[in-house]
Amino acid sequence: MSCITTLKEKGLKITPQRILIADVLHDGKGQYTAAEIIEHVQSKMPGVNKSTIYRNLDILEQAGCVYKSELDHEVVYHHDDHGHHHHLKCVQCGKVVDCDETLLAPLEDSVQKKYKFRVDFKHLVIDGICQDCLKLK
């Protein structure tokens, strides 16, 4: 579902800034830093304040259009259409590999059964050492 449709369904205003942010997130790259989103929006609409963009990112996140997470000590945003996904990040070389959300399904089930607690893994970064770096040891 598009961000615009979601915003309309939730009774939120469709502003030019929100449309531009949604356009960035829909382009298919996957994830963007706030700085990348700000650069894109300001290139199309000079004079838009950074605080306006951050506020709109928060609104889009609360509406369920985007997910926000941390990757390499930086906040990144990705569109909900890309689904929940996770990253495996090598702490030695910095390589990042996307992995499907089903990877953590057994853990979610175990936590639910053992602790009666429903976890909400939306976008997780798991640190470790990649196969290439393990070969170098």
Side-chain angles (χ1 to χ4, degrees):
M1 182 181 315
S2 79
C3 289
I4 304 306
T5 303
T6 301
L7 292 172
K8 285 180 184 176
E9 287 178 354
K10 294 186 181 264
L12 297 167
K13 292 180 184 177
I14 310 302
T15 65
Q17 295 88 347
R18 290 179 190 165
I19 291 169
L20 283 173
I21 293 169
D23 286 348
V24 172
L25 295 168
H26 278 270
D27 87 349
K29 174 188 164 199
Q31 57 207 19
Y32 295 88
T33 64
E36 291 171 322
I37 295 168
I38 289 167
E39 181 181 334
H40 174 80
V41 171
Q42 288 180 337
S43 74
K44 305 282 184 190
M45 191 180 285
V48 174
N49 195 299
K50 287 180 185 180
S51 64
T52 300
I53 297 168
Y54 279 111
R55 189 170 44 256
N56 279 290
L57 283 167
D58 287 343
I59 289 167
L60 290 169
E61 182 184 15
Q62 291 168 8
C65 294
V66 301
Y67 292 114
K68 175 171 73 171
S69 60
E70 187 175 314
L71 183 62
D72 291 332
H73 306 294
E74 200 166 27
V75 173
V76 294
Y77 297 86
H78 73 93
H79 187 262
D80 182 40
D81 280 352
H82 295 133
H84 296 175
H85 68 282
H86 310 293
H87 301 282
L88 306 175
K89 182 183 151 222
C90 181
V91 295
Q92 291 191 348
C93 70
K95 178 180 177 181
V96 177
V97 178
D98 288 346
C99 62
D100 190 80
E101 71 174 311
T102 58
L103 175 75
L104 297 174
L107 176 60
E108 289 181 49
D109 292 342
S110 295
V111 170
Q112 172 69 38
K113 288 175 184 166
K114 185 170 182 173
Y115 298 101
K116 307 295 185 241
F117 186 84
R118 193 188 72 160
V119 294
D120 189 10
F121 295 131
K122 290 182 180 167
H123 194 237
L124 193 63
V125 178
I126 302 168
D127 290 336
I129 301 174
C130 72
Q131 184 176 1
D132 293 337
C133 289
L134 283 172
K135 286 179 185 176
L136 298 175
K137 285 191 167 197

